[in-house]
C-alpha cells in the first residue's frame, strides 16, 4: 500500500495519463447507457483547438444532439475566457490592461475584476511564488521567441519590473493602473483554470452532471463515468510524459500538473523550462512535478504553479495542513521517483501494492 507523505514510485500497468483523456473509462461517442437514475443516456465526445492546445470534452446527455450542443457551449465558454485573458493577441481586455498608458486608470469588466481579485489574493497567499506579472522576465528570456539567456544586468533590470506591485488594482472600483512600462501580466498560470471553470458553469446551466474535460495538462472531472464511481486519471512521469506514474480518483474536482518537461528553450547550450520563479527571475529547476487537486479549476491551476516554484520541501510545508487542497509532488531522482503528498491527497490516491 502507499504510505502517506513519501514513497518510491514504479510505473503501474495502466495507460491513462493526466493531460490525456482516460478513454478506458468512457463509452464511445453516441453509445447508449443507462444512467444512475434509470434513464437512458448517451455519451458524446469531441475535441477543439483553443488557447493554443486541445480541449477534449466527454459527457453524458439525454440525446446525442443535446450532448454535442452542450459540448459546443463548453467550448464557447473557454473561448470567451480566451477572448478576455489572452496575451498572445492585442484585442483582449487583459492585453488592453498590459498596453495601457502609464498612471492611467483602466476600467475593467466585472468578470476580469473578479478574476484579478483572485489572482491578487493568491499572490499574497503564496508570498509571491505565484505572481503572473512576469512579462518583463518573459521578454528577457525571449520565451515567446527563440529563447535567450539574459545577462545578469538584463535580468536585474527585468526583475525591477516584475510583480503585481507594479500595478495598482482597485477591486471595489473595478480599475487597474500600470506604473511601469516594462510590466505586463501573463495569464499562463491561471488562464486555463479560469477557462475550465467557465466551461463547467455552462455545462451546469444545461443540466450536465457527468463529464470529463481534458485541457492540456489540466482535467475537470464531474459526476462519474459509465458504471458509477470516480473518474480515474493518472499523473505522468515528470520527465517522460507518456509514462504514467501515479493514479488518482477524481469526482467533482479539478486537477492541474506543472513541470518543466514539455515547454523549454535552449540557450548557451543548455535547456531552460518555461516556468519562471518571479522572485529570482530564473527558470525553476526541472526537479519533478506538482499535481494539485481542488474543487476550483483556477485554484488547481494557480497552486500547481506556485508549489512547483516553491519546490518539494517548501511547497510541502506550505500545503501540508491545507485540507481544501490536495498536492502530490513527484521528485525525479534519476533512476526513480519519490512521491510526497499532503493529507488531503489521501482521498484521491488509488492505493495498490
Amino acid at each position: 500500500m502507499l504510505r502517506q507523505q513519501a514513497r518510491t514510485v514504479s510505473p503501474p500497468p495502466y495507460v491513462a495519463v493526466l493531460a490525456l483523456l482516460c478513454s478506458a473509462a468512457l463509452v464511445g461517442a453516441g453509445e447508449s447507457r443507462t444512467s444512475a437514475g434509470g434513464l437512458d443516456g448517451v455519451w458524446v465526445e469531441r475535441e477543439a483547438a483553443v488557447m493554443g492546445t486541445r480541449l477534449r470534452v466527454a459527457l453524458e446527455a439525454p440525446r446525442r444532439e443535446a450532448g454535442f450542443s452542450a459540448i459546443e457551449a463548453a467550448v464557447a465558454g473557454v473561448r470567451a475566457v480566451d477572448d478576455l485573458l489572452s496575451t498572445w493577441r492585442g484585442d483582449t481586455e487583459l492585453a488592453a490592461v498590459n498596453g495601457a498608458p502609464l498612471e492611467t486608470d483602466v476600467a475593467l469588466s466585472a468578470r476580469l475584476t473578479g478574476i484579478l481579485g483572485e489572482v491578487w489574493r493568491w499572490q499574497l497567499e503564496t508570498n509571491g511564488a505565484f505572481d503572473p506579472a512576469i512579462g518583463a522576465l518573459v521578454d528577457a528570456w525571449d520565451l515567446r521567441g527563440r529563447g535567450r539567456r539574459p545577462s545578469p544586468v538584463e535580468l536585474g533590470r527585468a526583475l525591477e519590473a516584475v510583480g503585481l506591485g507594479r500595478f495598482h488594482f482597485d477591486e471595489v472600483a473595478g480599475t487597474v493602473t500600470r506604473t511601469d512600462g516594462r510590466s505586463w501580466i501573463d495569464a499562463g498560470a491561471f488562464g486555463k483554470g479560469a477557462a475550465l471553470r467557465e466551461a463547467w458553469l455552462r455545462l451546469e446551466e444545461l443540466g450536465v452532471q457527468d463529464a470529463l474535460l481534458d485541457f492540456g495538462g489540466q482535467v475537470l472531472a464531474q459526476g462519474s463515468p459509465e458504471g458509477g464511481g470516480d473518474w480515474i486519471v493518472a499523473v505522468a512521469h515528470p520527465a517522460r510524459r507518456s509514462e504514467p506514474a501515479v493514479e488518482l480518483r477524481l469526482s467533482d474536482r479539478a486537477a492541474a500538473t506543472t513541470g518543466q518537461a514539455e515547454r523549454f528553450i535552449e540557450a548557451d547550450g543548455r535547456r531552460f523550462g518555461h516556468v519562471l520563479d518571479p522572485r529570482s527571475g530564473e527558470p525553476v529547476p526541472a526537479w519533478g512535478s506538482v499535481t494539485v487537486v481542488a474543487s476550483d479549476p483556477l485554484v488547481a491551476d494557480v497552486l500547481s504553479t506556485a508549489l512547483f516554484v516553491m519546490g518539494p520541501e517548501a511547497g510541502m510545508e506550505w500545503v501540508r495542513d491545507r485540507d481544501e487542497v490536495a498536492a502530490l509532488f513527484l521528485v525525479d531522482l534519476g533512476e526513480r521517483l519519490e512521491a510526497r503528498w499532503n493529507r488531503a491527497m489521501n482521498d484521491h490516491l488509488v492505493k495498490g501494492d
Side-chain angles (χ1 to χ4, degrees), residues 10-339:
S10 297
Y14 46 76
V15 295
V17 180
L18 189 63
L20 300 176
L21 188 63
C22 184
S23 57
L26 295 176
V27 180
E31 188 172 328
S32 296
R33 79 162 173 121
T34 299
S35 68
L39 299 176
D40 288 336
V42 297
W43 278 94
V44 294
E45 177 183 332
R46 275 191 176 174
E47 284 189 357
V50 62
M51 293 181 76
T53 188
R54 303 293 298 180
L55 171 66
R56 190 173 181 186
V57 183
L59 57 81
E60 187 192 25
R63 298 177 309 279
R64 182 183 177 88
E65 295 77 11
F68 285 136
S69 294
I71 290 175
E72 289 304 315
V75 173
V78 170
R79 288 187 171 136
V81 173
D82 192 37
D83 289 342
L84 183 75
L85 297 178
S86 177
T87 56
W88 291 85
R89 299 155 37 193
D91 61 345
T92 70
E93 190 173 355
L94 185 58
V97 169
N98 287 333
L102 299 184
E103 306 297 342
T104 300
D105 290 347
V106 178
L108 306 173
S109 66
R111 176 178 289 182
L112 185 55
T113 299
I115 291 174
L116 290 184
E118 294 177 81
V119 164
W120 249 261
R121 285 187 285 276
W122 281 118
Q123 190 272 346
L124 294 173
E125 185 73 14
T126 62
N127 297 314
F130 165 75
D131 193 325
I134 59 169
L137 288 175
V138 173
D139 293 338
W141 286 90
D142 192 25
L143 294 187
R144 296 191 173 185
R146 299 184 62 181
R148 60 185 295 272
R149 181 174 179 83
S151 69
V153 171
E154 291 172 322
L155 189 61
R157 289 173 178 168
L159 277 169
E160 294 173 356
V162 167
L164 289 175
R166 302 299 183 269
F167 294 80
H168 295 154
F169 173 58
D170 188 331
E171 190 170 6
V172 175
T175 61
V176 66
T177 307
R178 194 163 65 116
T179 64
D180 190 314
R182 301 166 296 171
S183 302
W184 56 277
I185 298 170
D186 183 0
F190 66 90
K192 286 200 296 185
L196 272 181
R197 183 169 66 186
E198 180 63 24
W200 177 245
L201 289 173
R202 298 198 181 195
L203 291 179
E204 275 192 316
E205 291 174 353
L206 296 173
V208 174
Q209 297 180 356
D210 301 321
L212 186 66
L213 291 80
D214 170 22
F215 198 19
Q218 300 185 36
V219 296
L220 176 61
Q222 293 291 337
S224 62
E226 181 187 16
D230 297 331
W231 293 98
I232 305 298
V233 300
V235 180
H237 189 291
R240 300 186 292 273
R241 299 301 292 168
S242 62
E243 180 181 311
V246 176
E247 198 172 22
L248 301 179
R249 300 181 184 277
L250 299 178
S251 182
D252 301 332
R253 289 292 185 274
T257 296
T258 298
Q260 291 281 39
E262 291 188 341
R263 299 182 63 206
F264 56 86
I265 61 169
E266 293 184 352
D268 295 338
R270 295 179 58 192
R271 178 178 292 188
F272 300 96
H274 272 225
V275 182
L276 301 175
D277 186 336
R279 302 164 302 181
S280 68
E282 295 282 347
V284 178
W287 58 262
S289 68
V290 178
T291 298
V292 170
V293 176
S295 59
D296 187 333
L298 185 144
V299 172
D301 194 4
V302 165
L303 291 185
S304 69
T305 300
L307 294 175
F308 184 74
V309 170
M310 292 180 198
E313 285 78 24
M316 184 67 183
E317 186 62 29
W318 188 91
V319 80
R320 186 183 306 278
D321 297 321
R322 295 175 184 261
D323 290 338
E324 75 282 6
V325 176
L328 170 69
F329 300 79
L330 293 182
V331 183
D332 190 350
L333 301 176
E335 294 184 356
R336 63 187 178 91
L337 289 180
E338 182 179 275

